[in-house]
Amino acid sequence: MPKGNHAQQHNQSTDVLNATTELSLEDVKQELYNRHHPSLTFLDIEAHAKTIWKIRTLKQKHNVVMLGHNYMEPLVFGLSERDEQGDSLGLSMYAAKAEAPYLIFNGVPFMAETAKILSPDKTVLVADKTAGCSLADNFGAEDVKELKALYPGAPVMIYVNSYADAKAESDICCTSANAAHIAKSMPGDTLIFVPDIFFAQNLEEELKGEKTVVYPGKNNTARGAVCEVHERFTLADLLAVRESFEIPKGHPHRQLYAHWECRPNVLQEADFYGSTSQIMKDIAERVADNGLERAFVASECELTSNLAQEFPNVQFWTACSVRCSHMAKVSLSKIANILEAIDRNEELGEYEVTLPAEVIDKARSPIERMLEASV
Ligand code: 13P
Ligand code: SF4
């Protein structure tokens, strides 16, 4: 088995591979072994190296940009260049400036829709168009209209985890990386936040005294949604993690993280909360300051798998029963199918994200407003 040292070596060898014009299967295997990923055995590498080699070769040949959300399993996540990996906000911003005819979005379709809206001339492709999201799937344009009628004049801020038709009815979009900042920039003292009920309650707490946040289910019967993955973490779970994994509150070198989509009492218990990339950034900063020895992240479990590779000296505890079944639909073999279809110049309808021109036009303003307010 080829030998290497640590994660930094993986990054260097990935860069070398990405700069190479012709990849060999052996190069790809060597790079995978050099990752020393804690959950990647030689069985995984031997089983998947050929598919990864095929994907990388065709990606290069056809100048494909491949965006990878932080929830992708490590082998899929590693297909994207460093700057092509990230959270919803980072990937939307990257998509807006990406210069390539094909954009493969390794994430769920609502994310790829955002890329399509920002780059309507590009061919945006996803591995599995049936992958949903419990937030986006349970909320639509009619739900936005109902809330607007209930609170006339209040601006609607919509979480990016929604489909284009709902965005098209909203004033501004946000992600978990910029929600508080954007909410504060909105005119008036009342804001409608949709569709995530826990997120809205967390935002309400964050903006206490500054703004009134109204949302589905708050003194109304409008329909909202929660993330089926993050709702699984309860306060009791977090307290159990603190005790059994020995992460006492306020410990200088041990941290408990939570994503914004978690329940309010989970968020309040966490030492730090944020978007997937903000959690990664906080970990990176603590590691750089020599300050993090142990962490638990209340979010999708593959985020922790990717963190474990990036920060091999931090002990992570994972909850791998907490997976997003939608994100998990993105697999190496389905990505290879897209690239083979491109290579054979075949019809891409099975993978291509398309939207009516009028929806693109209407949904672009709330997304662009978000991007303007985020810089
Ligand atoms: P981020 O915006 O943090 O990437 O989160 C997206 C998501 O779907 C979280 O469940
Ligand atoms: Fe949607 Fe939750 Fe999956 Fe994120 S983790 S894509 S919010 S179901």
Side-chain angles (χ1 to χ4, degrees), residues 320-342:
C320 264
S321 60
V322 186
R323 287 212 68 188
C324 175
S325 60
H326 311 288
M327 290 280 188
K329 283 186 170 177
V330 181
S331 67
L332 290 172
S333 57
K334 289 180 196 167
I335 296 166
N337 289 345
I338 307 178
L339 286 155
E340 282 173 337
I342 294 174

Side-chain angles (χ1 to χ4, degrees), residues 260-369:
W260 268 96
E261 290 166 12
C262 288
R263 295 165 189 277
N265 58 2
V266 165
L267 216 77
Q268 293 311 314
E269 178 57 32
D271 298 309
F272 179 98
Y273 58 86
S275 75
T276 54
S277 287
Q278 286 169 335
I279 291 170
M280 282 178 147
K281 186 166 171 273
D282 188 78
I283 291 174
E285 284 169 2
R286 283 173 186 277
V287 168
D289 288 350
N290 215 2
L292 191 65
E293 59 184 34
R294 189 173 291 184
F296 178 83
V297 184
S299 190
E300 214 277 348
C301 87
E302 297 295 14
L303 172 62
T304 304
S305 307
N306 294 322
L307 286 166
Q309 173 171 323
E310 184 80 25
F311 305 105
N313 296 326
V314 179
Q315 278 182 293
F316 287 100
W317 229 33
T318 39
C320 264
S321 60
V322 186
R323 287 212 68 188
C324 175
S325 60
H326 311 288
M327 290 280 188
K329 283 186 170 177
V330 181
S331 67
L332 290 172
S333 57
K334 289 180 196 167
I335 296 166
N337 289 345
I338 307 178
L339 286 155
E340 282 173 337
I342 294 174
D343 198 46
R344 292 194 291 257
N345 206 14
E346 283 172 7
E347 167 61 33
L348 294 172
E350 187 182 341
Y351 316 104
E352 188 171 0
V353 174
T354 53
L355 288 166
E358 61 276 16
V359 174
I360 292 188
D361 277 353
K362 266 186 100 180
R364 191 182 298 124
S365 329
I367 297 171
E368 283 183 346
R369 272 188 214 122

Side-chain angles (χ1 to χ4, degrees), residues 69-71 86-91 108 110-111 133 135 159-161 174-178 196 199 227 229-230 259-261 274-279 299-300 303 324 327:
H69 188 263
N70 293 329
Y71 288 165
D87 64 4
S88 324
L89 178 63
L91 296 180
V108 286
F110 78 76
M111 294 180 170
C133 165
L135 290 170
Y159 189 33
V160 73
N161 292 39
C174 76
T175 74
S176 46
N178 58 21
D196 187 332
F199 200 128
C227 165
V229 177
H230 291 88
H259 192 274
W260 268 96
E261 290 166 12
S275 75
T276 54
S277 287
Q278 286 169 335
I279 291 170
S299 190
E300 214 277 348
L303 172 62
C324 175
M327 290 280 188

Side-chain angles (χ1 to χ4, degrees), residues 73-201:
E73 56 139 306
L75 287 176
V76 170
F77 194 58
L79 295 172
S80 298
E81 315 282 332
R82 255 310 148 105
D83 56 351
E84 295 172 348
Q85 299 171 336
D87 64 4
S88 324
L89 178 63
L91 296 180
S92 313
M93 291 171 106
Y94 193 90
K97 59 178 172 57
E99 303 236 352
Y102 297 108
L103 222 150
I104 296 184
F105 204 123
N106 292 332
V108 286
F110 78 76
M111 294 180 170
E113 275 191 358
T114 308
K116 180 71 188 173
I117 292 162
L118 291 170
S119 305
D121 299 335
K122 288 190 193 110
T123 305
V124 178
L125 304 151
V126 283
D128 195 324
K129 285 213 273 190
T130 70
C133 165
S134 65
L135 290 170
D137 292 349
N138 292 303
F139 192 82
E142 290 309 312
D143 299 305
V144 182
K145 287 182 193 161
E146 184 181 341
L147 278 154
K148 282 206 282 200
L150 285 173
Y151 306 98
V156 180
M157 178 162 133
I158 189 161
Y159 189 33
V160 73
N161 292 39
S162 52
Y163 293 115
D165 61 331
K167 286 189 178 87
E169 295 302 325
S170 306
D171 297 295
I172 194 159
C173 201
C174 76
T175 74
S176 46
N178 58 21
H181 172 76
I182 289 189
K184 287 178 193 173
S185 76
M186 295 305 284
D189 52 15
T190 302
L191 181 73
I192 302 171
F193 182 87
V194 292
D196 187 332
I197 296 168
F198 292 153
F199 200 128
Q201 291 167 346

